[in-house]
Amino acid sequence: MDLEALRQLAEPAGWALLADLPAYDEKQSLALGTALRQAGFAPELVSAALTQSRLRARATGKFGDLAADMLFTPDGLEQATRLSVAARHAHRFRSAGVRVVADLGCGIGADALALAGMALDVVAVERDPVTALVAAVNLRQFPEARVVAGDALDPDVLRDVLAGTSTGPVDGVWADPARRTSRGRLHRLEDYSPAVADLLALRSRVPALGMKLGPGIAHRDLPGDALVQWLSVAGDVLEADLWFGDLAPEGTGRGAVVVGRDGRATTLLDPGDPTGPITPAPSGPGASGGAAVGRYVFEPDGAIIRAGLVHRLAELLDARLLDPTIAFLTGDRLPADDDTGRCVAAFRVLDVMPYSLKRLRSYLRERRIGTLEIKKRGWDLDPARLRQQLALRGTASGTIILTRVAGEHRVVVVERVDPPAPA
């Protein structure tokens, strides 16, 4: 993305051009670009404006109506924290009594926006000059926020950043190290930019440190003095957040924050050493000696699975694992409240059978199932190929779970159950 074209776009004339553009329509973008150039606008400015129009349309999912007043880069938008999640980060800083936050690797400024929106002073640092300009434009309404273009861990830059603002020195640090390059996603923490180990070293200078990492981080790679929370929104696991010092009043451990479509959240925590072993959930027919598959099957939210908290969920549901190696729970009662219900997808069990293609095809045809949802775990089978083999016909819909039950492959025929209504 051209730095000079973005500078022109941020000027009043460029901003007015961007504001006057119609809603983005890919089919009309070529003709619109031609018309704007014929009207006398510089080709570079037209290209930048149309790119921003396209990115703004994509950004509404993360930023809502605010996207129409922001600038973006493609990579910056891809990696940016959605605004509702950034507000959760900012609230933790504010609740800890932090006043001045250094946002290291601020990207396009999503977290800095949320921090400044909660009346915190922010010093945001971004190494890429184009992205730094975008962040400065996005933060222009907040005089208490400033953007520094430079390497966040360069000693001279860091010294200036930690000096803070007129309010005082930095007393909280937020870091969102880059986890992607032009070649794809990075998996080793030492390859992140800035490197995670270098960011963790800042705890000796600013104990109140928060950090956003990818949700796939292994438990063995976690620092033992952290509160680590895997966060999901509407079923999508987005990130693993590390909290230290006053930002972790709960103490150390592994936790999950499950945010439903209604914006409400349920938090589970396993206190202690976050690198410690996962406590297994109970499995088998249970103490009562009931059936291996209960009246319901529960699929835990991905954040709970990542955090190793299936056993905590089993306690809340009075449930057990279908198989010791697979994260499907089964039990005889639905969640008692919306907090627990938010943590699972619930299914009422209609039938259980050993797998046989011929028998399953006959079963579904008898019930005129033409649309089939297939969920699987612990079974090396391609759902698309299975649908083809089933040759489904009919107007009804259904759901099956392909999994192991006490070590044996089973087909569990189910129907979805709506979660409890919010209290």
Side-chain angles (χ1 to χ4, degrees):
M1 192 167 288
D2 185 76
L3 180 60
E4 184 55 37
L6 271 179
R7 285 198 179 107
Q8 293 178 29
L9 199 59
E11 295 295 325
W15 203 256
L17 167 63
L18 190 54
D20 288 341
L21 291 179
Y24 182 76
D25 183 343
E26 185 175 0
K27 295 179 180 178
Q28 299 298 322
S29 61
L30 182 60
L32 179 59
T34 301
L36 291 172
R37 288 189 292 272
Q38 290 176 346
F41 291 101
E44 298 81 4
L45 184 61
V46 171
S47 177
L50 291 177
T51 297
Q52 289 304 315
S53 178
R54 174 174 54 84
L55 292 174
R56 282 178 169 183
R58 284 176 47 198
T60 54
K62 286 188 173 182
F63 296 93
D65 293 341
L66 189 61
D69 198 41
M70 297 175 65
L71 293 183
F72 302 94
T73 67
D75 289 344
L77 174 57
E78 183 71 24
Q79 298 180 47
T81 306
R82 62 181 74 185
L83 202 57
S84 61
V85 174
R88 292 183 176 276
H89 300 158
H91 184 265
R92 187 168 282 265
F93 279 92
R94 185 174 176 85
S95 297
V98 172
R99 299 178 64 191
V100 184
V101 181
D103 184 354
L104 306 183
C106 70
I108 62 172
D111 279 290
L113 270 170
L115 291 163
M118 289 198 179
L120 301 174
D121 282 13
V122 183
V123 185
V125 189
E126 174 53 49
R127 183 171 62 180
D128 177 64
V130 172
T131 309
L133 173 62
V134 168
V137 171
N138 292 339
L139 289 163
R140 68 194 182 282
Q141 304 294 345
F142 295 97
E144 61 272 31
R146 68 182 176 99
V147 177
V148 177
D151 186 338
L153 294 181
D154 178 275
D156 294 332
V157 173
L158 188 60
R159 188 183 310 111
D160 170 59
V161 169
L162 295 184
T165 66
S166 58
T167 303
V170 163
D171 55 351
V173 172
W174 172 251
D176 183 1
R179 298 178 293 282
R180 298 186 186 197
T181 68
S182 58
R183 292 173 303 210
R185 195 181 296 272
L186 300 171
H187 298 285
R188 301 192 309 167
L189 298 185
E190 58 266 32
D191 294 334
Y192 285 17
S193 180
V196 171
D198 293 335
L199 292 170
L200 291 174
L202 294 175
R203 288 171 293 175
S204 63
R205 303 171 71 174
V206 185
L209 169 67
M211 191 184 309
K212 171 184 168 183
L213 298 179
I217 183 172
H219 292 183
R220 64 178 179 273
D221 293 333
L222 298 171
D225 60 338
L227 169 66
V228 188
Q229 291 185 317
W230 279 261
L231 182 141
S232 69
V233 176
D236 293 329
V237 187
L238 302 179
E239 60 193 52
D241 297 324
L242 278 59
W243 304 106
F244 301 90
D246 290 342
L247 295 173
E250 304 95 329
T252 62
R254 292 191 303 262
V257 179
V258 180
V259 182
R261 298 185 185 280
D262 59 359
R264 297 171 180 260
T266 298
T267 301
L268 297 181
L269 176 65
D270 203 357
D273 183 352
T275 67
I278 294 174
T279 302
S283 60
S288 61
V293 182
R295 294 177 62 193
Y296 302 97
V297 169
F298 306 105
E299 182 179 23
D301 182 89
I304 292 172
I305 296 174
R306 293 276 191 180
L309 297 177
V310 175
H311 69 285
R312 291 280 291 110
L313 191 57
E315 293 172 6
L316 294 172
L317 291 166
D318 190 23
R320 58 197 182 275
L321 293 172
L322 284 173
D323 183 273
T325 64
I326 297 173
F328 275 128
L329 292 167
T330 188
D332 295 319
R333 63 178 180 84
L334 289 171
D337 52 50
D338 54 302
D339 264 341
T340 308
R342 193 175 294 117
C343 297
V344 295
F347 303 88
R348 181 179 289 106
V349 175
L350 304 177
D351 217 334
V352 182
M353 66 185 78
Y355 176 71
S356 161
L357 179 62
K358 182 177 179 180
R359 178 178 176 184
L360 181 58
R361 184 190 292 123
S362 174
Y363 182 96
L364 296 173
R365 285 184 176 178
E366 287 176 6
R367 288 155 181 80
R368 305 184 61 78
I369 303 295
T371 303
L372 183 66
E373 177 187 18
I374 302 174
K375 303 185 72 66
K376 75 181 185 77
R377 202 169 274 173
W379 197 329
D380 186 16
L381 185 149
D382 180 8
R385 178 169 172 76
L386 177 59
R387 279 197 190 87
Q388 194 175 43
Q389 292 173 328
L390 290 172
L392 299 169
R393 294 194 298 270
T395 57
S397 59
T399 301
I400 61 172
I401 298 174
L402 305 177
T403 188
R404 288 197 300 270
V405 177
E408 301 291 335
H409 283 113
R410 292 289 183 267
V411 178
V412 186
V413 184
V414 296
E415 63 180 359
R416 286 185 175 269
V417 180
D418 291 334

